[in-house]
Amino acid sequence: MSTKVAVVTGSNKGIGLAIVKALCQQFQGVVYLTSRDIGRGKETMDTLVSEGLKPMFHQLDINDLSSITAAAKYFKEKYGGVDILVNNAGIAFKGADTTPFAIQAEVTLKTNFFATRDMLTHFLPLIKPGGRVVNVSSFVGSRALNQCSPALQERFRSEDLSEEELAGLMERFVKETQKDEHKQGGWPETAYGVSKTGVTALSMILARRLSKERPGDKILLNACCPGWVRTDMAGTKAPKSPEEGAETPVYLALLPPDATQPHGRFVSDKEVQPW
Ligand code: NDP
C-alpha cells in the first residue's frame, strides 16, 4: 500500500501546529508541517523532533502561487497525491490596528479567501480517493453572514452559488471598502468575518463539485471553526488551548473510511452548524 500523506498549511505555530502534533500521533501516514518561512518552520520541526514526533517539512506560502505549485508538484511526484489537506493558514488584524479598513479588507481577503482558494485549485486534483479536506474557517464568518443584507445572505446560502460568483462577491467587498460604500452594498464592518464567510461558502461549493464530478472517490470536504483559541492571533484570554482548538479539524481530517457525512458543512465542536 502506498504511503499516506497529510499536509497542514500555516503549521509552524498556533492551531496548525497543534493539528500537526495530533496527526503525528493519530494518523497512519506521513504528516507535513508547512510554513511560509523556512526558518520558523525548521525551528518548530526541531522542537517536535525533540518531543519524539516525526513530521516532515515543506515550505508553503499560500500567498505565493509559485510556492503552491512547487509544493503541489512535490506531493504529486513523491506520493502520487495527498490524503489529508488542512487549509489552516490565515491572518487577522488586531482590533486596535489603525490600518485603514480598505487595506485591512484587501490584505485579509487576499490570504484568507483568495490564497486558500488558490490552494484548493491546485491541491483538490491531488486529493486521493477517500481523502479528507478541512478548511479552517470561523464562527465569525457565520456571524458576518447574518449581518449581510438579505440579498447577500441569499446568495451565500444558495446551492447554485458558483465559485466564480463567490470570488466576484469577495472582490466586490474589497472594491466597495475602497470607496467606503460597503455598508450601502450590504456588507458588515468586518474584513476577517467576510473572508471567513467566503471560506465556508467556498467549501460548500467545492464539496458539491466533488460529489458531482468524483462521486466514487468518497472525498469529504468541510469547513470548521476551531473555537476561540489561545494563539498569537486570538490572544491569551481565549478559553481553548491550541490542542483543544485542533480537535474539530483533526476529527474532520480523520473521518473514518466508510463515513459519508459530514460533507460540505460548517462544523464546530464536532457538530454540523446551521449556515
Ligand atoms: P496564528 O496567527 O497563531 O497562526 C497562523 C498561522 O498561519 C501561522 O503559522 C502563520 O505563519 C500562517 N500563515 C499566515 N499567512 C500565511 C501564508 N500566506 N502562507 C502560509 N502560512 C501563513 O493563528 P491561529 O493558529 O489562531 O489560526 C489558525 C487558523 O484558525 C486561521 O485560519 C484562523 O483564522 C483560524 N481561527 C482561529 C481562531 C482563534 O481563536 N485562534 C478562531 C477561529 C478561526 P507565520 O508564523 O509565518 O505568520
Side-chain angles (χ1 to χ4, degrees), residues 10-16 36-37 40 60-63 88-91 111 136-139 192 196 225-229 231-234:
S11 47
N12 53 294
K13 66 177 186 178
I15 298 164
R36 56 178 160 182
D37 182 272
R40 284 196 287 276
L60 182 48
D61 180 347
I62 67 166
N63 280 351
N88 162 81
I91 59 157
T111 297
V136 181
S137 187
S138 172
F139 65 94
Y192 179 78
K196 294 297 192 180
C225 179
W228 188 22
V229 183
T231 62
D232 287 349
M233 181 184 285

Side-chain angles (χ1 to χ4, degrees), residues 2 16 30 40 133 138 140 146 149 211 270 275:
S2 63
V30 185
R40 284 196 287 276
V133 181
S138 172
V140 180
N146 289 320
S149 66
S211 300
K270 302 185 189 172
W275 176 244

Side-chain angles (χ1 to χ4, degrees), residues 27-265:
F27 174 59
Q28 302 296 319
V30 185
V31 182
Y32 272 80
L33 182 154
T34 70
S35 67
R36 56 178 160 182
D37 182 272
I38 292 179
R40 284 196 287 276
K42 291 263 156 105
E43 210 175 296
T44 308
M45 283 291 288
D46 290 345
T47 313
L48 291 185
V49 169
S50 75
E51 290 171 10
L53 299 175
K54 295 189 179 74
M56 300 274 278
F57 176 77
H58 202 282
Q59 192 275 344
L60 182 48
D61 180 347
I62 67 166
N63 280 351
D64 176 357
L65 207 51
S66 64
S67 171
I68 292 180
T69 53
K73 186 165 181 276
Y74 170 85
F75 289 110
K76 175 87 185 152
E77 286 176 2
K78 192 166 166 80
Y79 300 99
V82 168
D83 297 279
I84 293 174
L85 171 65
V86 183
N87 283 308
N88 162 81
I91 59 157
F93 283 80
K94 300 284 180 211
D97 197 308
T98 54
T99 305
F101 186 64
I103 297 186
Q104 295 201 16
E106 184 173 7
V107 172
T108 307
L109 275 274
K110 182 179 157 69
T111 297
N112 292 3
F113 179 76
F114 289 103
T116 299
R117 180 191 182 208
D118 288 339
M119 270 300 296
L120 288 157
T121 302
H122 291 278
F123 273 75
L124 263 198
L126 300 187
I127 303 297
K128 293 189 186 174
R132 307 287 181 244
V133 181
V134 183
N135 297 327
V136 181
S137 187
S138 172
F139 65 94
V140 180
S142 306
R143 200 164 63 196
L145 170 71
N146 289 320
Q147 293 166 349
C148 284
S149 66
L152 280 173
Q153 288 189 39
E154 189 280 320
R155 290 319 298 145
F156 286 125
R157 293 195 172 106
S158 170
E159 297 233 333
D160 66 19
L161 178 68
S162 69
E163 185 181 343
E164 292 67 31
E165 184 186 353
L166 174 63
L169 287 170
M170 293 289 119
E171 276 162 19
R172 195 185 102 191
F173 170 69
V174 173
K175 283 208 184 88
E176 290 183 357
T177 64
Q178 287 158 0
K179 293 180 276 176
D180 199 21
E181 286 174 0
H182 55 286
K183 270 189 210 139
Q184 296 95 300
W187 300 98
E189 193 71 16
T190 160
Y192 179 78
V194 170
S195 75
K196 294 297 192 180
T197 305
V199 170
T200 303
L202 180 63
S203 306
M204 293 172 174
I205 292 167
L206 295 179
R208 281 196 291 272
R209 188 184 300 161
L210 281 171
S211 300
K212 195 168 160 226
E213 295 177 2
R214 297 174 63 183
D217 284 352
K218 300 187 165 65
I219 296 167
L220 299 178
L221 182 155
N222 290 288
C224 70
C225 179
W228 188 22
V229 183
R230 288 187 298 279
T231 62
D232 287 349
M233 181 184 285
T236 53
K237 291 195 185 114
K240 281 191 181 182
S241 66
E243 288 67 32
E244 289 167 328
E247 280 175 19
T248 293
V250 169
Y251 154 76
L252 291 171
L254 296 178
L255 285 168
D258 57 348
T260 55
Q261 288 292 337
H263 178 52
R265 301 304 193 100

